[in-house]
Amino acid sequence: FLLFLYFEFTFITMAQTFAAGTYVWLRDDEDMYVPAKVAGTFKQGEKGTVTNMMTKSTYTVTAKESSDMLPMDEQSLEPTDDMVGLKQLDEPALLHNLRLRYEKDEIYTNIGSILE
């Protein structure tokens, strides 16, 4: 039990390294999360440079902003019909997929078979 608690605490508190060219979810006041591409390698909780994929603008994120960033699977850049097919099935990916589909006027989607 103590080993599990230690592992859980260590896993949660370890800062991730965001490598140049990878994608992250950047918190946004209006859209909750937006996809961003890392311009230069930096650690979570440190200043870094990213390109917002929605606006195509590059800017420096603060240490606070980077501490709230989450890793993103590149698959989330394109909309998908069945969200169970997403490799990363979390809040940012679901919201972004719905946003992309809404923008294309494809408002209906599904999340796989629930009951059979």
Side-chain angles (χ1 to χ4, degrees):
F1 179 71
L2 289 176
L3 180 61
F4 175 74
L5 286 177
Y6 173 76
F7 174 75
E8 189 70 21
F9 178 75
T10 304
F11 180 74
I12 291 171
T13 58
M14 287 177 47
Q16 294 197 1
T17 298
F18 300 121
T22 61
Y23 292 90
V24 293
W25 292 114
L26 182 62
R27 283 217 178 257
D28 182 76
D29 291 336
E30 187 176 321
D31 291 318
M32 294 292 293
Y33 299 96
V34 293
K37 188 172 187 176
V38 178
T41 303
F42 64 95
K43 287 191 177 187
Q44 192 173 27
E46 297 177 356
K47 281 182 17 176
T49 305
V50 298
T51 301
N52 181 323
M53 299 306 292
M54 302 293 286
T55 63
K56 304 298 185 204
S57 59
T58 300
Y59 64 97
T60 301
V61 293
T62 65
K64 168 69 173 105
E65 289 172 321
S66 82
S67 67
D68 291 336
M69 289 176 24
L70 301 168
M72 177 189 136
D73 189 285
E74 189 173 349
Q75 177 199 27
S76 294
L77 291 172
E78 298 296 325
T80 183
D81 293 338
D82 188 349
M83 291 196 280
V84 169
L86 291 171
K87 295 176 189 171
Q88 183 179 16
L89 193 59
D90 58 8
E91 182 180 13
L94 292 174
L95 290 173
H96 187 64
N97 187 57
L98 291 172
R99 180 184 320 123
L100 292 175
R101 292 183 56 77
Y102 179 81
E103 290 170 355
K104 294 173 74 175
D105 200 28
E106 296 175 353
I107 60 173
Y108 298 104
T109 186
N110 62 42
I111 305 177
S113 176
I114 307 289
L115 297 173
E116 291 188 22

